[in-house]
Amino acid sequence: MCEDAKTRQLATVYEVFDAPFDTGPPMGETEKVRDPHTPSRRTRLATLLLHSLAQVDYRLALGAAEARHLAPLVEEWWDLGATSAQVRAALTDGWLRRVPSARAVIEDRLHRRRPTAPTPLPVTTVEVRGRRRATPA
C-alpha cells in the first residue's frame, strides 16, 4: 500500500501470478546462498507446470529428472509468447489411448506443436484528409 504525499490517498497494487510466488524467505529465516546448480525460478515454474499435467491425466506423470530435462522446452514456448494455459492445452489435448512413455510423448509435442515466433506486421501509411466546411460566399 502506498500513500500519495499531496492528496494523502491510499493506493493498493495487486500482482497476480499463475503460480505461487514468494518474494523472500519467511520471517525469521535467513536467505540461503544460491547453489550454482540450482535451477532458476523460471525453470522451477516450468517444472511445476510439467508436474501439473498428471492432474489432467495420471498417465502424464513425470519424474523430477524428466520434468527438469523438459523444462527448457517449456521456457522456449514462453519466450515465443505462449501462456502456461496454452502449453498445458497443447500437451493434453487429443491425448492417445495408449501412452508408452509420458516423457517421449510430451517431448514430441513440445517440439512438434511449438508456436512460431510472432512476425512483425508490415507498417503502412494511411493519409486521411478531413472535410472542410464550405464557407458561405
Side-chain angles (χ1 to χ4, degrees), residues 76-92:
E76 287 178 18
W77 280 56
W78 289 340
D79 291 340
L80 293 170
T83 65
S84 295
Q86 290 169 327
V87 174
R88 192 174 290 111
L91 297 176
T92 58

Side-chain angles (χ1 to χ4, degrees), residues 2-85:
C2 57
E3 182 178 354
D4 185 4
K6 292 181 183 179
T7 62
R8 313 268 309 156
Q9 289 184 336
L10 297 176
T12 304
V13 177
Y14 294 97
E15 292 185 79
V16 180
F17 297 91
D18 288 339
F21 178 88
D22 293 324
T23 57
M27 295 296 284
E29 292 184 18
T30 58
E31 190 168 351
K32 297 176 183 174
V33 176
R34 188 169 184 264
D35 179 7
H37 301 290
T38 304
S40 69
R41 180 179 179 278
R42 193 164 185 248
T43 302
R44 287 192 311 268
L45 290 175
T47 304
L48 289 173
L49 183 145
L50 291 167
H51 281 298
S52 75
L53 298 177
Q55 295 172 353
V56 176
D57 187 336
Y58 72 93
R59 299 175 298 169
L60 301 177
L62 295 172
E66 293 172 321
R68 275 194 309 272
H69 174 77
L70 297 174
L73 295 174
V74 173
E75 292 179 69
E76 287 178 18
W77 280 56
W78 289 340
D79 291 340
L80 293 170
T83 65
S84 295

Side-chain angles (χ1 to χ4, degrees), residues 85-109:
Q86 290 169 327
V87 174
R88 192 174 290 111
L91 297 176
T92 58
D93 288 350
W95 196 243
L96 308 170
R97 287 186 198 173
R98 191 173 151 277
V99 180
S101 165
R103 176 187 169 177
V105 174
I106 290 171
E107 186 171 12
D108 177 62
R109 287 185 174 203

